[in-house]
Amino acid sequence: MAASSLTALSRLVHLTPSSPKSNPKPFLSFSSSTVPILFTFFTLKLNSSSSYSPILSSSSSSSSLSSSSSSASLNSSAPMSYDKQLAAAKKAASLAARLCQNVQKGLLQSDVQSKSDKSPVTVADYGSQVLVSFVLQKELPGQAFSLVAEEDSGDLRKEESQETLERITKLVNDTIVNDGSYKVSPLSKGDILTIIDSGMSEGGSNGQHWVLDPIDGTKGFLRGDQYAIALGLLDEGKVVLGVLACPNLPLESITSEHQNTPNRVAGCLFSAQLSCGTYMESLDGSPPVKVHVSNTENPEEAAFFESYEAAHSSHSLSGSIAKKLGVKAAPVRIDSQAKYGALSRGDGAIYLRFPNKGYREKIWDHAAGYIVVAEAGGVATDAAGNPLDFSKGRYLDLDTGIIVTNRKLMPALLKAVQESLKEVALPSL
Ligand code: AMP
Ligand code: MG
């Protein structure tokens, strides 16, 4: 890793260095010495539709998740470990990020085509989905494999898409060869189509399901801005791990005074496992550092995130909420689940998302980000304060919008949201 990246990492004020026992490798799994954390987010009401009511244990009122020794001693049985799956997920997302970075560098107009819903999709979306599915199956052999992912091969099977399919096939094969971890014969176009369609699982509340957005924030990707490869794992309907690869996210805070520094080192990999906290490392391989959401109780200093695209989230509603709360800073508008990653390390304290009425959120747009923030001490709910339920298939069933913040600010935020929703109407789709 470049020395400048290490310096940038060490300057992040919210980071607590973990103490890996051995030298870090690019695709580190977490050390088994990681201290389990009694994580009280999951003591929020799980099936109720009434307003938010955190049930805090005595240890949870502490704002720091890093000092968890007393919590650990309260755990009578060791939590289920997903170490192997997490290592595989980090490797899969990192390799997919490499493909995406290469495509973004040489983004050509011909890389953009239109899906039937007219959203832009690039060879990188498909290539990323293939690589993630391929790596997960290679790294976790002999395990049942279920993947809920955004893309399917329908458009690529059309006559006019053959050139695109060839380009995807070459990109995927080149990425695998350059990585050097897998000695396999080159994948054919047929293999590519089949692997893309391995993502057609419906998910649900039984068993384990991977949840993937191969490029979250495609519009940001096309603009050269933020995007993320977002991969989560559901076990019995609960998100148990998540990885966010954010190739364009600076290693330093994007809301601090450093934000306008030119040539900042970018490329972050966030990873979280249930009861084990959230870590960040650079995409080119640095020691993971534990991260924590902002502890601020003061809305005046709580910078907030929202979508860059006004069509994805009402900027007027979020403006009204911010005003009611007394937030002073201008909104930070960036694409993708990079917002969850930035929030998990304390860049800003609030994320507001209010799509048009009738829009149905998909689980791959939130699963990884949700656990990355939750394990960093944050809370994500719908606009009525209900926890997000990932067990209902490919869609999230929720009331109005998604709000994310720390536990101290959530009650005031919920109040402001409820008041603003009465005053500012959300447009219909
Ligand atoms: P963001 O970059 O946070 O605005 O979110 C990007 C994600 O928004 C994409 O991956 C899409 O799945 C999703 N999206 C697409 N259309 C809409 C819409 N009309 N409202 C809300 N989200 C949308
Ligand atoms: Mg998405």
Side-chain angles (χ1 to χ4, degrees):
M1 178 197 182
S4 52
S5 308
L6 275 170
T7 315
L9 266 174
S10 63
R11 264 193 255 140
L12 268 168
V13 288
H14 295 280
L15 305 185
T16 309
S18 66
S19 328
K21 283 181 176 160
S22 55
N23 285 336
K25 299 192 190 90
F27 300 123
L28 274 181
S29 61
F30 291 146
S31 139
S32 57
S33 64
T34 304
V35 182
I37 291 158
L38 184 63
F39 183 60
T40 54
F41 173 69
F42 292 96
T43 62
L44 300 181
K45 62 197 170 59
L46 283 174
N47 293 308
S48 150
S49 59
S50 59
S51 64
Y52 169 79
S53 163
I55 307 160
L56 300 177
S57 71
S58 54
S59 67
S60 69
S61 57
S62 157
S63 59
S64 168
L65 286 181
S66 304
S67 56
S68 56
S69 52
S70 59
S71 306
S73 65
L74 294 175
N75 280 338
S76 52
S77 60
M80 169 105 178
S81 168
Y82 299 94
D83 286 352
K84 271 190 188 154
Q85 288 96 328
L86 188 65
K90 287 171 73 175
K91 175 150 191 170
S94 302
L95 204 57
R98 223 175 284 163
L99 179 148
C100 295
Q101 284 170 296
N102 286 337
V103 174
Q104 199 182 45
K105 263 186 229 150
L107 195 64
L108 304 168
Q109 203 49 38
S110 60
D111 286 330
V112 185
Q113 56 175 220
S114 212
K115 280 200 287 196
S116 46
D117 67 0
K118 301 286 185 244
S119 65
V121 65
T122 67
V123 291
D125 289 82
Y126 292 116
S128 170
Q129 182 157 321
V130 172
L131 277 180
V132 169
S133 179
F134 173 86
V135 171
L136 289 177
Q137 293 183 73
K138 284 278 170 209
E139 294 292 324
L140 303 165
Q143 296 190 11
F145 183 70
S146 168
L147 176 65
V148 184
E150 180 165 21
E151 309 300 342
D152 66 63
S153 74
D155 287 349
L156 281 181
R157 291 179 188 271
K158 293 176 184 159
E159 194 56 42
E160 65 267 26
S161 302
Q162 290 318 294
E163 215 179 290
T164 307
L165 178 57
E166 252 163 52
R167 181 142 158 65
I168 296 163
T169 308
K170 181 170 180 341
L171 266 171
V172 168
N173 283 323
D174 287 354
T175 311
I176 293 171
V177 168
N178 288 337
D179 174 61
S181 306
Y182 307 105
K183 305 288 170 230
V184 287
S185 30
L187 299 174
S188 68
K189 289 191 279 182
D191 295 333
I192 295 291
L193 294 170
T194 305
I195 299 175
I196 289 174
D197 285 338
S198 67
M200 290 173 80
S201 166
E202 289 295 318
S205 56
N206 297 317
Q208 295 194 350
H209 307 278
W210 291 100
V211 180
L212 170 69
D213 195 337
I215 294 190
D216 183 39
T218 310
K219 289 179 177 161
F221 177 78
L222 293 170
R223 259 190 266 109
D225 290 339
Q226 294 304 326
Y227 65 98
I229 293 91
L231 177 61
L233 179 66
L234 301 183
D235 195 353
E236 303 295 307
K238 273 201 329 196
V239 189
V240 293
L241 70 81
V243 169
L244 287 177
C246 306
N248 289 342
L249 188 70
L251 291 168
E252 286 185 355
S253 168
I254 55 172
T255 54
S256 74
E257 73 275 18
H258 300 297
Q259 63 179 305
N260 294 321
T261 312
N263 304 322
R264 284 182 306 163
V265 181
C268 303
L269 181 65
F270 297 91
S271 53
Q273 181 181 172
L274 192 61
S275 304
C276 294
T278 296
Y279 290 77
M280 188 188 88
E281 60 204 89
S282 78
L283 266 174
D284 53 5
S286 62
V289 285
K290 197 164 193 176
V291 295
H292 198 289
V293 295
S294 160
N295 287 325
T296 188
E297 292 178 64
N298 181 2
E300 286 191 12
E301 58 188 40
F304 79 95
F305 290 102
E306 64 182 342
S307 286
Y308 180 94
E309 299 284 339
H312 292 180
S313 185
S314 167
H315 290 175
S316 44
L317 181 57
S318 57
S320 160
I321 295 164
K323 199 168 163 200
K324 278 189 197 301
L325 271 174
V327 172
K328 290 245 168 69
V332 181
R333 292 179 176 150
I334 61 168
D335 303 279
S336 84
Q337 288 171 69
K339 291 187 277 294
Y340 284 104
L343 204 76
S344 77
R345 67 184 189 192
D347 302 8
I350 297 169
Y351 169 23
L352 301 173
R353 184 180 188 86
F354 291 96
N356 290 351
K357 264 187 207 150
Y359 180 77
R360 294 181 77 193
E361 295 279 8
K362 286 91 170 183
I363 59 171
W364 53 76
D365 278 328
H366 300 282
Y370 168 85
I371 192 162
V372 161
V373 159
E375 282 296 322
V379 188
T381 72
D382 70 11
N386 301 304
L388 306 183
D389 183 353
F390 292 90
S391 73
K392 297 281 196 280
R394 291 170 75 88
Y395 293 93
L396 279 172
D397 219 1
L398 49 78
D399 185 349
T400 313
I402 293 177
I403 57 177
V404 191
T405 188
N406 65 35
R407 284 191 282 261
K408 293 173 189 163
L409 275 174
M410 188 50 112
L413 176 60
L414 261 174
K415 187 166 172 284
V417 166
Q418 292 303 317
E419 286 173 16
S420 291
L421 277 171
K422 288 181 197 137
E423 294 165 16
V424 182
L426 280 170
S428 295
L429 264 187

